[in-house]
Amino acid sequence: MGGMLSWIQLNSQALRENFKSFRMRAGTAFLAPVLKSNAYGHGLAEVYRILTSEDLTWICVNYLFEACELRKLGFKGRILVVGPATPDGWEEALSLNAELVIGNQDLLSSWLGLQTKPLLHLKFDTGMGRQGFAPVDASNLRDTLSDHQALHKIAGVCTHFANVEDVTDQSYALTQMARFKTAQEVFKQTGLPILYHCAASASTLILDISHMDLVRVGISLYGLWPSSLTRVSFLQQHQQLLDLNPVLSWYTQITTLKQIPKGQFIGYGCSYRAVRDMKVAVLPVGYFEGYPRIAGESSSFVLIEGQRCPVVGRICMNMMMVDVTHVDHIKVGTTVTLIGRDGGETISAGDVASWAKTIHYEVVTGLHPAIPRRTTDLA
């Protein structure tokens, strides 16, 4: 039974080195790698197995099913489910010993009614406009929890930044931190060992005062800067860059080679017409597999034998066509690099994102889970 005709290569050494770099950046705070969304498309099981050689005490996920998979893989540490909790997940969270994020009163009321309660992290909306209680309600929340004798089940108090990676001026993030501090002070008065956390990748990199007790590092664990501005900000602050190494490469193979005469159309919509006699390779990858359809309408290319081969015609559901007229010594079965390095050329996830008018987060998380993930320790 044939599987997908592309594969993802994970550089184990790069992942471990990135983890160690962030453990250093975190200082005294706990490092909680974020393995949500299939470990940002890299493969949850594969990434977890690579990181088992490290001092892994916390992991963040988005769903309880991801927490369940981690438990099946043998993870004994603390799991924080950062996605929206729902009342039908209470029992599963308890059985998995998973900690939940709650940010609205209805859910809190449901949780307060439980005989046995999973650990909670109270989320405050300090300017993201998504999940979270209003910081001004912190005192009422603390009093409500005290009345129900449930304060000891509050493991964390947290928030999330809206605008760190897209700016070099961090005034909005500092405003959010000031709002968060009002909630933080209220819960610090309890004297309980509550963890306070707000930092994700960008703030862990460029906003040291945000580290607090725990940092939640996602995209940059995988060797990708949150944005070019985050990279610039880090460089301005430290006069050198943190050595982040991309973990993921994506490959496929040529399944068809054909001659296309000048003037013939290629692909759906007749959007591309051969301006000369061409040799075209068909690749068994399309938008179902995670290669963005819109990328075919830009100056996108793949790498074959160390050479750039432009995409021609529209990206199909399961196929794409590339111009290989200039490449010698290729045949059906020749390896093609979609993301990664080939000879002196490199295609980054950010390159694909720019062709698709999106961000690299969407590109890597959009890689189909059924594509085989292989691991290597080669740098």
Side-chain angles (χ1 to χ4, degrees), residues 32-327:
V34 183
L35 270 59
K36 69 174 185 174
S37 305
N38 201 27
Y40 285 62
H42 291 63
L44 186 146
E46 291 81 3
V47 166
Y48 170 72
R49 289 188 186 109
I50 292 168
L51 290 178
T52 51
S53 62
E54 305 306 315
D55 181 20
L56 203 55
T57 54
W58 279 87
I59 294 178
C60 295
V61 294
N62 191 74
Y63 293 108
L64 281 168
F65 78 80
E66 295 167 326
C68 182
E69 186 171 350
L70 285 170
R71 293 300 187 213
K72 286 178 180 174
L73 288 165
F75 182 56
K76 307 289 189 198
R78 295 177 74 172
I79 298 176
L80 177 59
V81 180
V82 299
T86 56
D88 59 4
W90 300 141
E91 193 175 327
E92 187 177 7
L94 278 166
S95 69
L96 293 170
N97 194 23
E99 303 175 33
L100 303 174
V101 170
I102 282 185
N104 68 71
Q105 190 60 52
D106 289 344
L107 208 54
L108 184 66
S109 298
S110 172
W111 177 83
L112 286 169
L114 297 172
Q115 188 114 26
T116 311
K117 298 174 175 64
L119 290 177
L120 274 201
H121 292 240
L122 297 175
K123 189 162 197 175
F124 286 88
D125 182 2
T126 57
M128 178 74 170
R130 197 170 62 177
Q131 294 190 98
F133 297 103
V136 294
D137 292 337
S139 294
N140 290 336
L141 279 169
R142 180 198 58 198
D143 294 345
T144 300
L145 290 160
S146 298
D147 292 344
H148 285 80
Q149 298 182 322
L151 261 176
H152 65 288
K153 284 292 185 179
I154 303 302
V157 171
C158 60
T159 192
H160 192 64
F161 290 118
N163 198 27
V164 173
E165 60 267 34
D166 297 320
V167 290
T168 52
D169 173 10
Q170 297 302 332
S171 54
Y172 191 73
L174 294 173
T175 299
Q176 284 193 258
M177 283 195 68
R179 291 171 183 161
F180 184 60
K181 192 173 182 182
T182 64
Q184 186 183 9
E185 291 302 322
V186 165
F187 281 89
K188 277 192 170 179
Q189 290 166 13
T190 66
L192 292 169
I194 294 170
L195 295 172
Y196 300 93
H197 54 104
C198 59
S201 287
S203 38
T204 302
L205 284 162
I206 61 175
L207 201 60
D208 289 4
I209 58 171
S210 71
H211 291 182
M212 297 188 183
D213 299 318
L214 179 145
V215 297
R216 312 178 302 255
V217 178
I219 192 76
S220 294
L221 176 71
Y222 308 101
L224 304 173
W225 287 87
S227 70
S228 57
L229 281 177
T230 306
R231 201 169 177 271
V232 167
S233 295
F234 190 93
L235 190 56
Q236 286 175 343
Q237 289 178 17
H238 300 278
Q239 283 71 58
Q240 62 180 20
L241 285 172
L242 192 69
D243 193 17
L244 292 182
N245 298 296
V247 172
L248 178 148
S249 300
W250 186 20
Y251 303 100
T252 187
Q253 60 185 288
I254 295 172
T255 49
T256 300
L257 278 169
K258 62 193 306 166
Q259 298 296 325
I260 300 288
K262 179 181 177 180
Q264 183 173 319
F265 291 106
I266 299 174
Y268 286 118
C270 297
S271 62
Y272 184 91
R273 192 173 199 171
V275 294
R276 52 178 165 75
D277 291 346
M278 297 172 65
K279 180 168 62 173
V280 168
V282 180
L283 313 180
V285 167
Y287 51 83
F288 173 75
E289 288 73 26
Y291 199 93
R293 182 178 182 273
I294 194 174
E297 297 173 19
S298 187
S299 54
S300 53
F301 58 87
V302 302
L303 302 177
I304 305 176
E305 299 295 314
Q307 298 187 64
R308 298 184 178 193
C309 299
V311 174
V312 291
R314 290 180 180 165
I315 305 293
C316 311
M317 188 180 292
N318 304 105
M319 282 180 270
M320 58 194 288
M321 291 73 75
V322 297
D323 179 5
V324 292
T325 311
H326 56 298
V327 186

